[in-house]
Amino acid sequence: MAKDRSGGFHPSKGKPSGGRPEGLGVSTAAPEEIEQFLDRTDEYLQDDETLDPAVPLRHPNRPPGGGGNGNGKPNLRETDTTIEMAMAPGVDTEPERLPDILDKDLFAELAAFRSECCVTIYLPTHQSGVEVNEKHDAILLKNTLKDLSAKLADAGIETARIEQLLTPAYALLQQSRFWGRMEKGLAMFIADGYFKYVKMRVAPQYVAVCKKRFYMTPLVPVLTCNTYFYLLVISKQKCKLFRADAFGMEPVHVPDLPDDMMAVKRLSDKDASTFRVGTGSGTGGANFHGMAGGNPEHKDNIAVYFEAVDDVIFREVLHNENAPLLLAGVEYLIPIYRAASDYHNICPEALTGSHEHDEIHDLYARARGIMQPYFDQPLDKALTIYANQSATPLSSSIAADIIPAAYYGRLSHLFVRKGATIHGQFDETNASLELHGSEEESSDDLLDMAVIKTLTQGGEAYLLPPERMPAASDIAAVFRY
């Protein structure tokens, strides 16, 4: 696909059927198929002689790594700057970034959108490494847009309309700052005069689809989750509090938190045990009597310090909380803090070791591993409900039973296999269900519709790998009645 002098992109000419498509099927790719995208010989060229501007030219003296924080890693938490649409003249649809974590109202808004041509793209992306430096994600998007352009042209969409539809996405290819600040995935929702995207904190399967509505199921893992916990890194020098959820962790500012043991007045006033002894010569260091590691008085001083820390954290943050508190620190400090704390929900497990200097993403990864069973509780409870109802009419793994029930709000819990689709049509007026063995021109993805209907009518939906499904099926559900 080449650009004209105005900067607009022109897809290859299609077959002029003059009609409108009912829909273009979902395209999914396994990792090895995605690699094939990157092997194309034409992906680096606009035409036979012109190198594509999206291809990076790296100076031989440039150090490895990307991003802007000086350590070779992108600044992932910084907000995207406004997309410079001037780089693609003629574009009048500005891309809008949606929150990384969607609430159900925003999910419902996207699901309700209808147009003759709704393009949905899900890409697995990279946060760091050679893939960022060499812009693999941008190249994958470019090849995806080329394929979509060809399919739209073959389906009879006019060239000018395709250009207007996809040019905002092509404009993103020029945004190095945008691609240097990726999460684990990218979701794009494109229609006439409409362009929204989500930087996903979980990696989706590759999907590119054009229908009369957006494809929503891969967004289920990034819907708002009310499950969270606190992490407290303890040490004699500094205690730090963090709040973590299913997707990440951030520091919690706690006013008046003591900086170290000597900042606690009750310790600094204990002259007999903390008087300072100089060397007399002006050289060397100083020590504090009674502060040697391992003696009982030293542990008593640590306990007094931890009591002060716990009092401040409880007063400022935890007094109305019931979330678990995970402790991280050197092993001998953990029981001292437990004994000193009044908080009722300290996790029985702890993250042992010296962690006060850990990078926040490394610390979160370790803490998240310990807390995984806590995050699995809602799913485990839902699977237990399904198992308990498995011998009754209140559960099913048959699509013909589940899909109509989803449309009419009868599902309390829905389980969907990752990557699965169920083609067919459902007429709500006369409750007529027609399942198609393969995708047809008039097919809708009924599994995706079941997810949308369940979530927007107060039910729960889970996107699971095959081994976690409660039945050997692409779909399973628990009925309300």
Side-chain angles (χ1 to χ4, degrees), residues 62 65-70 72-75 132-133 180:
R62 178 185 171 188
N69 58 9
K73 296 181 180 179
N75 297 318
V132 174
N133 295 335

Side-chain angles (χ1 to χ4, degrees), residues 1-278:
M1 180 175 293
K3 291 194 295 186
D4 59 21
R5 293 181 179 179
S6 67
F9 289 88
H10 293 279
S12 55
K13 295 181 179 179
K15 300 174 183 179
S17 63
R20 289 284 187 272
E22 285 294 327
L24 301 180
V26 178
S27 297
T28 61
E32 61 271 13
E33 293 173 305
I34 294 176
E35 290 297 325
Q36 293 175 6
F37 277 116
L38 304 177
D39 293 336
R40 294 180 180 175
T41 57
D42 65 341
E43 66 189 4
Y44 297 102
L45 301 176
Q46 284 186 349
D47 51 45
D48 291 340
E49 298 180 352
T50 307
L51 185 68
D52 191 282
V55 177
L57 294 178
R58 184 172 174 180
H59 192 278
N61 294 329
R62 178 185 171 188
N69 58 9
N71 63 2
K73 296 181 180 179
N75 297 318
L76 299 178
R77 298 268 67 86
E78 293 185 26
T79 304
D80 287 348
T81 54
T82 302
I83 303 300
E84 296 291 342
M85 300 310 296
M87 298 184 71
V91 175
D92 56 5
T93 303
E94 183 174 328
E96 176 187 347
R97 181 176 181 178
L98 299 178
D100 297 354
I101 310 302
L102 301 178
D103 60 34
K104 288 190 177 181
D105 289 340
L106 190 49
F107 179 89
E109 179 184 322
L110 283 170
F113 187 90
R114 296 291 185 273
S115 179
E116 283 295 317
C117 189
C118 291
V119 173
T120 313
I121 298 171
Y122 292 95
L123 304 178
T125 56
H126 302 84
Q127 296 174 286
S128 61
V130 66
E131 294 87 356
V132 174
N133 295 335
E134 296 182 0
K135 297 192 176 180
H136 284 201
D137 301 333
I139 293 170
L140 178 57
L141 175 60
K142 178 182 176 182
N143 291 330
T144 299
L145 296 175
K146 285 182 178 180
D147 289 346
L148 282 169
S149 295
K151 291 178 180 178
L152 291 170
D154 288 344
I157 302 293
E158 298 89 344
T159 299
R161 186 180 178 192
I162 297 173
E163 178 181 346
Q164 183 68 18
L165 189 71
L166 299 183
T167 295
Y170 273 103
L172 290 181
L173 298 176
Q174 309 296 325
Q175 303 294 323
S176 297
R177 191 179 181 89
F178 176 86
W179 295 105
R181 296 179 174 182
M182 281 289 108
E183 292 285 350
K184 295 181 180 179
L186 178 64
M188 309 179 82
F189 307 94
I190 307 169
D192 292 320
Y194 188 99
F195 191 119
K196 299 183 187 295
Y197 68 93
V198 179
K199 290 187 175 181
M200 301 174 64
R201 298 196 193 179
V202 298
Q205 290 183 305
Y206 174 86
V207 172
V209 58
C210 181
K211 291 281 190 178
K212 292 186 178 181
R213 62 176 183 83
F214 295 128
Y215 179 56
M216 303 297 295
T217 297
L219 289 180
V220 169
V222 296
L223 289 178
T224 300
C225 175
N226 295 325
T227 304
Y228 63 94
F229 68 95
Y230 288 96
L231 172 69
L232 180 63
V233 177
I234 58 174
S235 73
K236 294 182 292 184
Q237 284 72 41
K238 180 71 174 179
C239 293
K240 296 182 286 187
L241 185 67
F242 300 86
R243 188 182 188 276
D245 58 22
F247 308 103
M249 185 170 74
E250 58 185 15
V252 177
H253 174 64
V254 184
D256 302 323
L257 193 67
D259 289 334
D260 52 36
M261 290 178 62
M262 298 310 297
V264 180
K265 189 176 188 299
R266 282 177 292 174
L267 286 181
S268 61
D269 286 345
K270 294 174 68 175
D271 296 334
S273 61
T274 60
F275 65 89
R276 188 167 184 163
V277 178

Side-chain angles (χ1 to χ4, degrees), residues 384-396:
T384 299
I385 294 173
Y386 181 91
N388 292 339
Q389 301 289 353
S390 60
T392 75
L394 291 179
S395 70
S396 177

